[in-house]
Amino acid sequence: MIISATRLEAATAAVTVLSDRASVAGWSLRYFGPWWNADVVNADAVDAGTEAVVVADMDRAQYEELAELVQDGRPMEEIDYAKNRMLVVRDGEDIVALSPDEGIAYRSTPSSGRIVLAGIDLMPLALAAARLARESIRGQLLRDGWAVLHSSAVVRPSDGATLLAFGDKGAGKTTTALLLASTGWQLLANDRVLVRPTGEEDVEVVPWPSAAALGLGLVQALGWDVSAREHLRAGGDFHPTQHQSVTDALAAGDCTPLWEEGRKRERKLQVFPDQFPDLFDVQLATGGLAAGLLFPQVDADAAPAVVDGARTLAEADFMSGKTEDRYPDIFELAQGVDGGGRASARAEVASRLATLPHRAVRLSHDVPASAAVLGKLAATI
């Protein structure tokens, strides 16, 4: 049997995805490669006894064996994980879980960092393997003193200076990052970053790879709708979580915002990390040092400007086990560390960031004007 392997490295953490299907390991290579150092490696050279590994195979027999173990009458917990029902039990030191709707069974050995997935459907298996690889990296970094900020980020290529943009949902974090990226900064993250104190006063920043959700209005304002449409008409695709109505609208050249029933949430373009440079000419950064904090707010009709009253960081600007509930650490990859980092790490990061420039900026739907204001502001930091 030919085994494919993709190794991911981020700062001090590493994990290898092993699979009997090349497309499963290849999914992690594509998803993480631009931001984390993802490379194809020789599976025979991977020491699964000492390295963190995610083994994800298409294996109905193993799936059924683990499913039977989960449902044999031992104490079981039912948890919502990645929008799916997960049934979780203990088997000695191991954690065994079953996601019946996805057709995936799991066995995690927290002491070794080894996670085994057995699936019966290829795409859910590839998605789950990548998700667990990312959670493995996060767990290692959290244990090593990192924390997670709810922030977008861009990096100045010349010196690695990193600007972090904060705000509530809809405040303009992603818009700020993409507008700065359009003026020559590199995109580090669109929604969250991993940070840790380094040296005497710096804060190191690395990406938290994820698909970027972009409203159709913003896509059109940035001029990216043409590239997206041409990509689709040439047979390309976007992230599979993208709703078909968004794909159809883009292919038809219609960028009217689309809403879920009841207008509670906008349906958005879901962009793979590697599609930023390939489709939209936005270069990606792999790390930097925090240099300033931006607090954007979108006011559709007002003139873009730097405004008074920049706020300071709040507890809500850090991700935590309470705020990150889509992927609870049921496999104990962080070994008890809060999903946003230890309290001591968050406090030290907050203290150091408090000494950096804080700027509040008002953005509008006038993209060129907003980009110009952000560009001038960023040049002063």
Side-chain angles (χ1 to χ4, degrees):
M1 180 185 297
I2 298 176
I3 302 298
S4 298
T6 294
R7 182 174 175 82
L8 314 175
E9 297 179 349
T12 56
V15 64
T16 302
V17 178
L18 300 163
S19 180
D20 62 352
R21 302 299 174 97
S23 59
V24 173
W27 182 273
S28 291
L29 180 68
R30 178 187 183 187
Y31 198 88
F32 299 116
W35 266 321
W36 287 350
N37 296 317
D39 289 300
V40 175
V41 296
N42 183 352
D44 293 334
V46 178
D47 185 351
T50 60
E51 302 178 40
V53 295
V54 174
V55 183
D57 292 335
M58 289 284 289
D59 189 332
R60 180 175 288 276
Q62 187 178 29
Y63 170 81
E64 292 177 350
E65 177 184 333
L66 291 172
E68 183 177 350
L69 183 67
V70 169
Q71 301 174 90
D72 68 359
R74 68 187 67 205
M76 180 178 68
E77 186 177 6
E78 184 171 327
I79 296 171
D80 184 49
Y81 187 86
K83 298 184 177 181
N84 288 285
R85 183 171 60 105
M86 189 83 84
L87 309 177
V88 185
V89 302
R90 286 276 181 176
D91 184 39
E93 74 162 312
D94 286 1
I95 299 160
V96 181
L98 176 67
S99 178
D101 293 339
E102 296 175 290
I104 303 172
Y106 304 77
R107 178 184 286 275
S108 171
T109 306
S111 61
S112 68
R114 178 184 177 87
I115 311 169
V116 174
L117 289 72
I120 58 177
D121 192 1
L122 192 59
M123 181 52 70
L125 181 66
L127 290 169
R131 184 165 56 235
L132 266 296
R134 185 172 62 187
E135 292 301 304
S136 177
I137 291 283
R138 174 164 71 161
Q140 294 174 57
L141 292 179
L142 293 177
R143 300 197 310 270
D144 202 28
W146 292 74
V148 186
L149 284 175
H150 190 196
S151 163
S152 69
V154 291
V155 174
R156 187 161 51 206
S158 61
D159 60 4
T162 302
L163 295 180
L164 304 166
F166 297 89
D168 297 332
K169 185 178 180 62
K173 296 187 298 296
T174 297
T175 299
T176 296
L178 295 181
L179 290 180
L180 284 170
S182 72
T183 67
W185 290 67
Q186 295 176 336
L187 181 64
L188 184 76
N190 65 286
D191 184 64
R192 69 188 69 181
V193 292
L194 288 148
V195 290
R196 72 164 177 181
T198 185
E200 294 184 1
E201 57 184 20
D202 289 329
V203 174
E204 185 178 359
V205 188
V206 299
W208 173 258
S210 66
L214 311 180
L216 293 181
L218 176 61
V219 170
Q220 185 177 46
L222 290 166
W224 294 357
D225 54 315
V226 176
S227 295
R229 181 170 65 253
E230 291 176 350
H231 174 67
L232 289 171
R233 290 180 175 177
D237 58 7
F238 289 98
H239 195 276
T241 57
Q242 180 170 297
H243 196 274
Q244 186 62 41
S245 64
V246 175
T247 303
D248 294 343
L250 283 168
D254 183 1
C255 287
T256 305
L258 298 170
W259 297 88
E260 295 180 358
E261 186 176 351
R263 295 183 62 86
K264 293 182 179 180
R265 180 180 298 180
E266 185 180 358
R267 290 173 176 164
K268 297 183 177 182
L269 172 67
Q270 303 287 336
V271 180
F272 277 107
D274 67 350
Q275 290 177 326
F276 279 111
D278 292 348
L279 293 180
F280 306 130
D281 197 29
V282 170
Q283 302 308 306
L284 304 180
T286 58
L289 295 177
L293 283 63
L294 303 179
F295 298 92
Q297 189 62 53
V298 176
D299 186 336
D301 300 319
V306 177
V307 297
D308 295 330
R311 67 173 178 82
T312 58
L313 281 189
E315 183 65 27
D317 294 312
F318 286 85
M319 305 301 293
S320 72
K322 294 179 180 179
T323 57
E324 182 52 71
D325 56 4
R326 284 187 63 191
Y327 310 118
D329 190 21
I330 59 176
F331 298 111
E332 299 184 1
L333 300 174
Q335 298 180 12
V337 179
D338 182 89
R342 293 188 178 92
S344 57
R346 296 199 299 266
E348 181 61 24
V349 166
S351 176
R352 295 188 180 198
L353 292 180
T355 68
L356 300 178
H358 291 45
R359 300 288 188 271
V361 59
R362 182 176 61 228
L363 307 177
S364 75
H365 288 177
D366 185 336
V367 166
S370 294
V373 168
L374 284 170
K376 291 179 180 178
L377 173 60
T380 67
I381 295 177

